Amino acid sequence: MSAVASIAANEAPFTSHNAAFADVLGRAPQLTRVVGVDAHEGPVYVADEDALYFTSLPRGTGVPVVDVKRLALDGDRFPLEPERVDVVRPNANAANGMTHGLDGRLLVCEQGAPASHGQISAFDPATGEVETVVDSWRGLRFNSPNDVVVGRDGSIWSTDPSYGHLQGFKPGPLVGDYVYRHDPRTGQTSVVADSFEKPNGLAFSPDHSVLYVTDSGANQEAGSFYPKLPHHIVAFDVTADGRHLIGERLFAVTARGFPDGIKVDSESRVYASSFGGVEVFLPEGDLIGEITLPGAVNFAFGGAERNILFITADTAIWAAVLNARGPSTHQAKGA
């Protein structure tokens, strides 16, 4: 690991608000720039390939052009050469969040465009094949699918804020800004939460008993922040059958900006990106520390020990090397 490219903990990339943050950091945490690239959203680490997939920063005027890209990693050797980044799916229908499917394909949130519908698709990077998984609820087209996770039973949970319309590249919404659960076995798609201004990132606790959802309602038009609108994380209990959400409660409010990406580590601590970087919370909702990285958008645990938090920040990918680890996965590939 390059000493020039890394930032030691005593140079303040990590801010502690609670002694419990020491368990996240360990003895030698580092924040390191991995590679300069237009990495925006949807980071997914695939352990079998030691690779990070992500969606690019939207470019162009009008309908945003977004690619799915792949960074070939080399263990914990950082920084890496730009040549290790490849485009695996160009112009991917304004793609945003991604995750693993149970079959190893990538599940991709495609926001769509006036001439192409938003959808959750399954993308096979090895073949380039794309298959629609779900693109509507009760015959009504989705708004702008944003983020997606998979339940233990294979159900697909996603958020659908109307950002495409607000940003001028989608028609007016036909449905509310909802959280959905889709069952691939039955084809049934259900609204599981409708109380959000702009549902954004979502993540399960390690045992899948809790679902966390970020509300970025304080962000309306691009670049805006309205502090009186929601900028918080909501927690739900997942019913024993894995089909419904109950016990909605406020988990945490971000003080600087709105939360976007969200993940949970193996000890049920919650990580959420906001204006200053990545905030870290105890399962009870107490803020214990921050990884300082202005411009952070989303992130994913990876590496052989699942202790590297790969962070996309629009102009680069960064790696926070921690003591904390991502949860074990039930998916066919990745960690």
Side-chain angles (χ1 to χ4, degrees), residues 99-107 150-156 184 329-333:
T99 194
H100 290 282
L102 289 180
D103 60 4
R105 292 183 297 175
L106 295 176
L107 292 173
V150 178
R152 290 193 184 279
D153 59 358
S155 56
I156 297 168
T329 180
H330 60 279
Q331 281 126 351
K333 296 175 69 177

Side-chain angles (χ1 to χ4, degrees), residues 152 204-211 236-239 249:
R152 290 193 184 279
F204 283 110
S205 62
D207 64 0
H208 283 222
S209 66
V210 179
L211 181 70
F236 298 88
D237 296 317
V238 182
T239 56
R249 64 229 180 237

Side-chain angles (χ1 to χ4, degrees), residues 231-244:
H231 47 103
H232 58 232
I233 305 167
V234 173
F236 298 88
D237 296 317
V238 182
T239 56
D241 62 5
R243 297 177 58 192
H244 304 286

Side-chain angles (χ1 to χ4, degrees), residues 107-126:
L107 292 173
V108 183
C109 292
E110 300 180 15
Q111 297 182 86
S116 59
H117 298 301
Q119 64 176 0
I120 307 297
S121 65
F123 169 58
D124 187 341

